[in-house]
Amino acid sequence: MSLTDTPEIIVNGYIISPSDIDTEMQYHPAPTRRQAMIKAAESLIIGELLVQKAEEKGLSKNIDIDMINEQPALIDSLLDQEVEVPKATEEECLRYFEANTEKFTTSPLIEANHILLAADPKDLEQRTQMRELAENLIKQLSNVPEQFATLAKQYSVCSSRDVGGSLGQLSYGQTVSEFERQVFAADTGLMATPVESRFGYHVVFIAHKVEGKPLDFDVVKEKIKTYLNDKVQRKAISQYLNRIVSEATIEGYEFDIGLSSTMQ
């Protein structure tokens, strides 16, 4: 819906003032004021509905949204009463495992050396220059690979320059994602093109690589069960919030079809 000025919203007779929404907006950063306003308004509406439901169920009296935020156990108690969440069975976990075996492996390992040519992401001229230098170093190393340590010492701005550019043994999560994504997908040997990252350009030689090994179902069963239970719970809570919104009398605001915001 289109909002230009902060609205006054009435939720089952309770007034959420424009000043309440303006104050709440600081907790909902967004690209535009309108988007922040919508997030803030929906959060306050949902919070008020949860307050009203908690009082209706006798969980507490004379509570307000601030108390809900400060005592999340009140929401948990309400949702435990109101939302039925089925638990994943072992058969369901096994089916998920068998359909997604590629997700359940040990982390691959690589041993890599690199030469880091630093370049500011905002300096396009510098990045062009460093890419060209990286390409020239790759050509040189293609002919004389034994010069890697010497060139690392001469050009790299990484502290690994003092040990021939060696990064040692790496597993997932030890380097920045854009570097990791390219390097772990490569074969052993000198990578044919520079690897770009937020730091600049890398000339990379992969000395050794060990692929990840499949994990047994028993090892990951609890992890899968937690994932499936959380997924079902999020869906059930979303459906519950949609229901209490649709049953409420709300003046001054209209939710889009399908509730996208939840209580923060």
Side-chain angles (χ1 to χ4, degrees):
M1 72 182 296
S2 177
L3 294 177
T4 54
D5 298 319
T6 308
E8 178 182 85
I9 301 172
I10 304 175
V11 181
N12 292 332
Y14 176 86
I15 297 174
I16 298 175
S17 70
S19 62
D20 291 334
I21 298 172
D22 288 340
T23 299
E24 179 71 15
M25 282 171 60
Q26 65 183 305
Y27 305 113
H28 303 275
T32 67
R33 184 180 187 279
R34 176 182 176 276
Q35 290 173 310
M37 186 191 303
I38 289 173
K39 289 182 178 181
E42 292 187 354
S43 180
L44 289 174
I45 293 168
I46 294 167
E48 176 56 29
L49 288 172
L50 290 173
V51 166
Q52 293 176 9
K53 279 291 182 182
E55 291 183 335
E56 177 186 318
K57 297 298 177 181
L59 296 175
S60 186
K61 294 183 179 180
N62 300 319
I63 60 175
D64 57 25
I65 292 177
D66 289 337
M67 291 178 64
I68 283 281
N69 291 333
E70 293 169 5
Q71 301 179 48
L74 284 173
I75 293 181
D76 293 338
S77 297
L78 174 64
L79 295 178
D80 285 344
Q81 283 193 23
E82 293 283 277
V83 182
E84 183 177 351
V85 182
K87 300 298 183 182
T89 65
E90 183 156 339
E91 290 75 16
E92 289 170 331
C93 293
L94 180 59
R95 284 200 298 271
Y96 183 86
F97 173 78
E98 291 175 341
N100 298 275
T101 52
E102 73 283 354
K103 294 181 179 180
F104 303 107
T105 63
T106 60
S107 175
L109 299 173
I110 62 170
E111 291 180 14
N113 302 334
H114 83 144
I115 299 170
L116 172 57
L117 307 174
D120 187 332
K122 298 179 182 179
D123 190 334
L124 298 182
E125 182 178 355
Q126 184 187 42
R127 291 190 79 82
T128 298
Q129 292 173 350
M130 291 302 101
R131 179 178 180 86
E132 291 175 353
L133 175 57
E135 290 171 344
N136 288 333
L137 292 177
I138 290 172
K139 289 179 182 178
Q140 185 174 341
L141 288 168
S142 296
N143 296 321
V144 193
E146 59 271 19
Q147 287 188 348
F148 198 101
T150 301
L151 294 176
K153 183 72 173 178
Q154 182 179 353
Y155 291 102
S156 184
V157 299
C158 178
S159 58
S160 65
R161 65 198 296 270
D162 296 325
V163 287
S166 175
L167 293 172
Q169 189 178 82
L170 299 174
S171 59
Y172 279 138
Q174 290 186 284
T175 63
V176 294
S177 58
E178 64 271 22
F179 179 86
E180 180 178 276
R181 183 171 56 251
Q182 298 173 73
V183 170
F184 276 88
D187 295 326
T188 55
L190 181 68
M191 292 184 66
T193 57
V195 174
E196 184 177 6
S197 78
R198 68 195 71 175
F199 302 116
Y201 287 92
H202 308 253
V203 176
V204 181
F205 181 86
I206 299 176
H208 188 59
K209 184 174 183 180
V210 178
E211 299 291 349
K213 296 180 180 179
L215 292 169
D216 291 334
F217 173 65
D218 287 341
V219 174
V220 297
K221 177 172 62 177
E222 290 305 315
K223 181 179 179 181
I224 294 173
K225 183 180 293 184
T226 298
Y227 168 77
L228 293 178
N229 286 341
D230 287 348
K231 184 177 180 181
V232 171
Q233 183 182 47
R234 287 194 299 272
K235 182 177 180 181
I237 291 174
S238 178
Q239 291 173 339
Y240 173 69
L241 295 177
N242 271 286
R243 179 167 64 81
I244 65 175
V245 166
S246 65
E247 292 173 349
T249 300
I250 301 173
E251 302 172 53
Y253 189 87
E254 182 178 350
F255 279 91
D256 291 333
I257 296 175
L259 188 60
S260 60
S261 298
T262 57
M263 185 68 174
Q264 298 297 314

